Amino acid sequence: RPIGNGIKAAPLPPYSHRSGGVLFLARLHARKRPLAFVEAAIRVLSHRPDTRFTIAGPDEGEGESVRTMIEQSRHGDRISWVGPVDPAKTDELLRDTRVFVLPSVGEVFPMTVLEAFSAGTPVVTTSSLGIAEKCEQYGAAVVTDGSAVAIADAIEEILASPAEAERLRLGAQNFIRAELSIDAVADRLLDAYALTQDPRRGDG
């Protein structure tokens, strides 16, 4: 039985005061698709030129391409790559972000998405995410086809609509409480272990 990661359930953090813009927080690896994030950022900036986009994460092969695309876009003042972030500071970063984007492919259960949920930050991701169906079921994230156009459209909708941002925040909280909290994961683990016990052995 698949057992996912868990995260501590907490009150929904405030949102309206946030000064951060749109965040990509992951390794700069082809699988994470940081170039799709930059392309989506360029599209959004053509309509919302004051939006700020931040790429946070170590280079694992895509760094030079990311840097080149940013330079060629002429949006270097609005799109920045800040490099690796101290894990102790990721929660603070997410709590000041208005939209978190994970455009990666083949992700099963990325903790950054759970951390964004916990931080009360609206999430945009792709249909290849292992929990994409659950995200849609709970209304916890905007699940796209992974194209830069779809990602840009989702970002713009969240930035333009406080109601949409709040819908996603509440959906994520419901998802955490129902299935992603430490307690919920522990209950599933206990159930799984119980099923493996042979009653003839008298295991309790």
Side-chain angles (χ1 to χ4, degrees), residues 137-196:
Q137 176 185 329
Y138 284 95
V142 179
V143 178
T144 72
D145 61 10
S147 68
V149 172
I151 292 170
D153 287 347
I155 292 170
E156 287 196 60
E157 183 176 6
I158 294 168
L159 293 176
S161 172
E164 174 66 2
E166 196 62 17
R167 180 187 73 82
L168 293 167
R169 281 160 41 82
L170 292 174
Q173 282 285 297
N174 290 336
F175 191 6
I176 289 174
R177 289 170 182 155
E179 301 195 32
L180 300 177
S181 69
I182 298 296
D183 289 343
V185 172
D187 286 344
R188 286 199 297 277
L189 277 170
L190 291 171
D191 287 345
Y193 280 121
L195 288 174
T196 64

Side-chain angles (χ1 to χ4, degrees), residues 8 16 23-24 28-29 31 34 41 62 66 84 87 95 101 114 124 131 134 139 170 197 201:
K8 184 178 180 180
S16 60
L23 176 67
F24 171 99
L28 271 66
H29 185 278
R31 180 179 178 182
E62 294 286 86
V66 165
R95 283 173 177 259
V101 180
L114 272 64
V124 176
I131 55 172
K134 289 288 186 178
L170 292 174
Q197 294 176 345
R201 292 167 52 195

Side-chain angles (χ1 to χ4, degrees), residues 64-82:
E64 190 58 39
S65 297
V66 165
R67 186 178 290 110
T68 298
M69 182 177 277
I70 292 173
E71 290 175 354
Q72 292 178 346
S73 75
R74 301 182 184 275
H75 289 298
D77 60 330
R78 288 286 144 189
I79 309 172
S80 60
W81 173 25
V82 299

Side-chain angles (χ1 to χ4, degrees), residues 50-136:
D50 293 332
T51 309
R52 182 157 54 89
F53 292 83
T54 301
I55 300 166
D59 182 12
E60 291 197 6
E62 294 286 86
E64 190 58 39
S65 297
V66 165
R67 186 178 290 110
T68 298
M69 182 177 277
I70 292 173
E71 290 175 354
Q72 292 178 346
S73 75
R74 301 182 184 275
H75 289 298
D77 60 330
R78 288 286 144 189
I79 309 172
S80 60
W81 173 25
V82 299
V85 174
D86 184 336
K89 297 182 178 179
T90 57
D91 185 61
E92 178 183 347
L93 182 61
L94 284 166
R95 283 173 177 259
D96 194 40
T97 294
R98 299 193 69 80
V99 184
F100 172 70
V101 180
L102 184 68
S104 59
V105 293
E107 290 280 1
V108 179
F109 213 97
M111 279 302 296
T112 50
V113 170
L114 272 64
E115 290 165 354
F117 287 166
S118 181
T121 301
V123 172
V124 176
T125 188
T126 71
S127 57
S128 72
L129 190 71
I131 55 172
E133 286 189 14
K134 289 288 186 178
C135 286
E136 291 185 314

